[in-house]
Amino acid sequence: MSKLWGGRFEQTASEWVDEFGASIHFDAQLVLEDIEGSIAHVTMLGEQHILTADEVAQIVAGLKTLAKKAQADELTFNVFHEDIHMNLEALLHEEIGPVAGKMHTARSRNDQVATDMHLYLKRRVLETIDGIEAVQTALYDHAAQNVESIMPGYTHLQRAQPVSLAHHLLAYFWMLERDKERFSDSLKRIDMSPLGAGALAGTTFPIDRHRSAELLGFAQVYPNSLDAVSDRDFILEFLSNASLLMMHLSRFCEELILWSSEEYRFITISDVFSTGSSMMPQKKNPDMAELVRGKSGRVVGNLMGLLTIMKGLPLAYNKDLQEDKEGMFDTVKTVQGSLSIMAGMIQDMTFHTETMKQATERDFSNATELADYLTAKGMPFREAHEVTGTLVRYCIDQRLYLSELPIETYQAHSELVEADVYEALSPVTAVKRRNSYGGTGFDSVRIQLTEAKENLPTHA
């Protein structure tokens, strides 16, 4: 058996060399996209009278047969044929005979593989957007139920100011909304057809690249054949967007891991998304959250890998580009799996709102309220900040909280303080009053929920 490209060669490669150079082990995932691209290409060749109607009919019928076998997992690929393109051509030859060789007229594996990956990523990005919306829906559902549930807000992982639980959850909603926008915008670069660019310089045959693009549902055609076969920006953009998405999921997972600990007890993660210890019977570990946090690293690694491959490549196609696929496939699997886990884990999560509220009552996160209270009474804010800091120091020394200080102590530091200071120091009051746009005030959060709902599917 000779290579489909082997006419120029006198020697054949050793089996281990074939094994090293082959991509069929992973690019078999592109089987349906490759068949789809071939059907469109052959159809266009027929319309341009490059192939006869009978030849087109035979090839298309054979390709459709292979597609059915692929869907039934009945195709066997051979490393000798290197990649999905040559394997399918060899299988098509078995189905319909020598006419199969005409399928590759006016086409190179260079534009063929690029077309396959554009088709593949276009579908995977749309699926990823659906996955993001599932996580957003889970966040929205909990936020809608917890507008007036309050919890400590943190900066530097230190108690800062009390906030609405809904407000905290919606922060991640909007991060994911930006992720969704980035993926949606990337479709403009993915939705382009390289088919017909040939190896690098186009072809002498009178093909119609716009027609084959139309048959494949692409919105645009690459205007430069060199760029068409060597561009991997669309994959890099996907990997970059995926890295940002995974970073956001990882940040939330870090909080969920903390919140589920004995030190916080803010949430309980469902048993479905937890595991135990082989040694310690009492343990309930947030392993799915930890895995999502960890998997963010492999996605970023895939991005760095392809950036490193691309940075030194001259035009046009180089064999290095074979290394573009495994990281892409792995990222798709990792991202979609992580989104499914996150949507289910968030939806099934229990929030201990009373514990969260109690946490806001045993700290100094209401110190800003005292400073604002004094400022509203006419004291310059910088002076109010100093007075409040002095009182906080006094409380620490006396092992008290601001709400426990007697009115006399307040008035000894400022005559502006009256009995209404205790209402101002209430965590609920502190949250409720912050109704600037985008703030954590209950009315402001309800506006935010309305805006959030507009960015979800109609069933949300």
Side-chain angles (χ1 to χ4, degrees):
M1 186 164 53
S2 62
K3 299 279 190 183
L4 295 177
W5 46 259
R8 179 249 185 269
F9 290 79
E10 294 181 355
Q11 295 177 299
T12 58
S14 299
E15 186 175 332
W16 69 269
V17 175
D18 280 341
E19 185 76 25
F20 184 80
S23 61
I24 189 60
H25 304 299
F26 49 86
D27 68 11
Q29 293 185 55
L30 296 171
V31 58
L32 293 178
E33 284 80 11
D34 200 72
I35 292 172
E36 182 181 0
S38 292
I39 290 174
H41 180 67
V42 169
T43 300
M44 178 276 295
L45 292 178
E47 292 176 356
Q48 294 299 107
H49 306 294
I50 298 168
L51 296 184
T52 67
D54 182 59
E55 289 169 337
V56 170
Q58 289 184 67
I59 294 170
V60 169
L63 287 169
K64 288 181 176 179
T65 298
L66 292 181
K68 290 178 181 177
K69 290 183 177 181
Q71 290 168 331
D73 198 24
E74 295 175 354
L75 293 182
T76 300
F77 301 123
N78 191 327
V79 72
F80 178 82
H81 294 304
E82 303 174 12
D83 55 38
I84 188 59
H85 324 298
M86 295 292 94
N87 267 275
L88 283 173
E89 187 169 331
L91 290 168
L92 184 64
H93 190 279
E94 293 176 10
E95 287 286 337
I96 64 173
V99 71
K102 294 197 172 187
M103 174 176 67
H104 208 57
T105 305
R107 185 175 68 171
S108 164
R109 284 185 292 177
N110 296 356
D111 60 333
Q112 189 177 356
V113 68
T115 301
D116 291 356
M117 289 188 293
H118 277 273
L119 288 170
Y120 174 87
L121 264 192
K122 183 177 176 181
R123 289 165 184 149
R124 301 296 91 78
V125 164
L126 292 172
E127 292 167 1
T128 299
I129 290 170
D130 288 342
I132 292 172
E133 288 183 336
V135 179
Q136 286 183 299
T137 299
L139 288 167
Y140 175 89
D141 289 345
H142 280 297
Q145 298 168 27
N146 286 287
V147 173
E148 298 191 14
S149 301
I150 63 170
M151 63 172 292
Y154 296 84
T155 63
H156 308 277
L157 207 56
Q158 304 296 315
R159 302 272 182 90
Q161 292 176 301
V163 297
S164 160
L165 171 56
H167 190 58
H168 193 110
L169 296 175
L170 288 171
Y172 286 99
F173 181 98
W174 295 115
M175 290 183 208
L176 293 173
E177 185 61 25
R178 294 194 296 275
D179 290 323
K180 193 168 68 176
E181 290 172 358
R182 276 186 282 268
F183 279 112
S184 295
D185 187 67
S186 74
L187 286 169
K188 288 187 290 187
R189 268 79 63 190
I190 296 171
D191 202 11
M192 297 178 68
S193 175
L195 192 56
L200 75 163
T203 177
T204 58
F205 290 93
I207 63 171
D208 185 345
R209 292 187 60 209
H210 291 88
R211 175 57 177 154
S212 58
E214 180 185 13
L215 289 168
L216 290 170
F218 284 123
Q220 303 176 66
V221 173
Y222 275 90
N224 183 291
S225 60
L226 283 165
D227 184 38
V229 298
S230 61
D231 172 37
R232 294 299 183 269
D233 292 358
F234 67 104
I235 301 178
L236 284 166
E237 187 173 5
F238 168 75
L239 295 175
S240 176
N241 293 340
S243 295
L244 281 168
L245 168 61
M246 289 299 294
M247 179 269 291
H248 290 149
L249 297 183
S250 181
R251 291 183 70 183
F252 191 36
C253 284
E254 172 69 11
E255 295 197 325
L256 298 181
I257 292 162
L258 290 171
W259 291 357
S260 64
S261 69
E262 287 294 315
E263 286 69 25
Y264 281 76
R265 300 187 186 184
F266 285 180
I267 62 170
T268 296
I269 296 175
S270 166
D271 289 355
V272 174
F273 300 97
S274 306
T275 64
S277 165
S278 61
M279 175 180 277
M280 298 165 283
Q282 83 283 6
K283 292 294 295 299
K284 179 179 176 181
N285 302 323
D287 277 11
M288 296 306 106
E290 291 176 349
L291 274 173
V292 172
R293 183 178 61 180
K295 286 178 182 294
S296 64
R298 71 187 293 156
V299 172
V300 173
N302 289 334
L303 170 61
M304 292 300 104
L306 186 55
L307 278 171
T308 305
I309 290 167
M310 293 299 298
K311 73 174 182 62
L313 294 189
L315 291 175
Y317 184 86
N318 299 271
K319 188 67 167 177
D320 313 52
L321 291 175
Q322 184 168 293
E323 295 298 312
D324 60 1
K325 299 171 195 63
E326 289 181 276
M328 177 183 71
F329 294 145
D330 180 70
T331 295
V332 167
K333 181 180 178 181
T334 300
V335 166
Q336 294 190 353
S338 296
L339 288 169
S340 295
I341 287 290
M342 291 297 292
M345 183 166 59
I346 295 168
Q347 200 70 60
D348 290 353
M349 197 176 297
T350 301
F351 290 88
H352 303 305
T353 55
E354 189 58 35
T355 302
M356 291 180 170
K357 181 181 178 183
Q358 288 173 2
T360 67
E361 296 168 349
R362 309 300 292 174
D363 62 19
F364 293 100
S365 62
N366 56 356
T368 304
E369 308 313 308
L370 178 58
D372 286 351
Y373 171 88
L374 292 170
T375 302
K377 295 278 187 174
M379 183 182 291
F381 178 77
R382 190 50 57 203
E383 183 181 341
H385 189 286
E386 178 69 22
V387 170
T388 301
T390 301
L391 285 166
V392 168
R393 179 70 260 171
Y394 176 81
C395 286
I396 292 171
D397 291 341
Q398 301 299 315
R399 297 186 178 182
L400 297 171
Y401 294 101
L402 288 171
S403 59
E404 297 172 330
L405 283 179
I407 190 70
E408 294 81 13
T409 302
Y410 277 114
Q411 291 176 339
H413 286 77
S414 174
E415 296 177 353
L416 296 174
V417 179
E418 300 178 80
D420 60 351
V421 70
Y422 297 105
E423 175 62 22
L425 291 172
S426 162
V428 174
T429 302
V431 176
K432 187 176 181 179
R433 293 174 59 236
R434 281 180 156 71
N435 279 315
S436 56
Y437 179 78
T440 192
F442 302 149
D443 291 341
S444 181
V445 170
R446 290 189 178 96
I447 292 171
Q448 208 182 144
L449 279 167
T450 299
E451 294 178 355
K453 191 172 185 178
E454 293 172 357
N455 289 280
L456 289 175
T458 53
H459 62 267

